[in-house]
Amino acid sequence: MNKMNNIEVIINNKKYTLRGYESEEYLQKVASYINNKNSDFKKQDFYKLLDSEMKSILMEINIADDYFKVREQAKEIEQENEEKAKEIFELKHELVSLNTKLAEADKLIASLKEELNENQKKIIRLETELGNRNRNTKG
C-alpha cells in the first residue's frame, strides 16, 4: 500500500497541509484547479457582492458541474471505445475470412497452373506425334 503523504498547498492565498495517499503533483494540481476557479469568479462583478457562504456554494456548484460534465464525456468516450472495439473485432473477423478465401484462391490458382502445365505438355506431345505421323505418311 502507498504511504501517507503530507503536502503543503496554497489555496486562495492560504497555506494548507493536505494528508493523503495521492502524489504531491496530483494534490498540487487539485489546489491549482481550485485557485483557477476562484480566480475566474473574482473577475466577475457579481461575485464581490456575495457573502462568503454564497461564494462557497457557488464554487461547489461549479466544481460539481465540471465533475458531471467530465463524467458524461468519459461515458461518451467509453461508449465510442466500445463501438470502435466492436468494429475492430468485426474487421478482424472479415480479415480472417478474406485471408481464408485468398488461401483458397491461391490453391485454386496453383492447381490451375499445374493443369495448364500438364495440358501444355499434352499439346507438345500431340503436336510431336502429329508431326511424326505426317513425316511417316509422306515418306
Side-chain angles (χ1 to χ4, degrees):
M1 186 175 224
N2 294 339
K3 71 174 193 155
M4 189 72 79
N5 297 314
N6 290 325
I7 308 321
E8 287 188 358
V9 297
I10 297 175
I11 297 175
N12 210 14
N13 296 321
K14 293 181 184 175
K15 187 189 283 188
Y16 295 94
T17 300
L18 302 179
R19 184 175 165 97
Y21 293 107
E22 292 82 4
S23 70
E24 180 175 357
E25 180 182 296
Y26 174 78
L27 293 174
Q28 292 294 347
K29 281 183 184 180
V30 170
S32 177
Y33 171 79
I34 293 171
N35 284 325
N36 288 336
K37 275 288 184 193
N38 225 346
S39 177
D40 289 344
F41 282 125
K42 287 179 180 178
K43 292 176 187 173
Q44 306 291 325
D45 289 333
F46 74 90
Y47 189 74
K48 297 171 188 162
L49 304 174
L50 302 175
D51 62 27
S52 62
E53 182 180 358
M54 195 60 187
K55 288 177 181 178
S56 292
I57 300 239
L58 186 60
M59 176 74 82
E60 292 167 3
I61 289 170
N62 275 272
I63 290 173
D65 179 51
D66 288 349
Y67 167 76
F68 285 112
K69 285 177 181 173
V70 168
R71 194 168 89 174
E72 187 61 33
Q73 287 175 343
K75 283 181 186 178
E76 289 172 7
I77 290 170
E78 188 175 315
Q79 185 177 358
E80 286 176 23
N81 286 343
E82 287 173 7
E83 290 170 5
K84 289 179 193 264
K86 182 179 177 184
E87 185 179 341
I88 288 170
F89 176 80
E90 290 169 357
L91 288 171
K92 284 181 179 179
H93 180 72
E94 185 178 344
L95 180 62
V96 168
S97 175
L98 291 172
N99 278 335
T100 301
K101 288 179 182 178
L102 178 61
E104 290 170 2
D106 284 343
K107 285 181 185 178
L108 179 60
I109 289 170
S111 171
L112 291 172
K113 281 182 179 179
E114 183 64 33
E115 187 179 331
L116 175 63
N117 191 25
E118 291 299 318
N119 286 334
Q120 286 175 337
K121 287 178 185 177
K122 280 183 184 177
I123 289 171
I124 292 171
R125 191 173 51 246
L126 290 171
E127 285 176 346
T128 303
E129 287 176 13
L130 184 61
N132 287 341
R133 282 187 192 163
N134 284 341
R135 273 184 257 142
N136 289 340
T137 53
K138 289 182 180 179

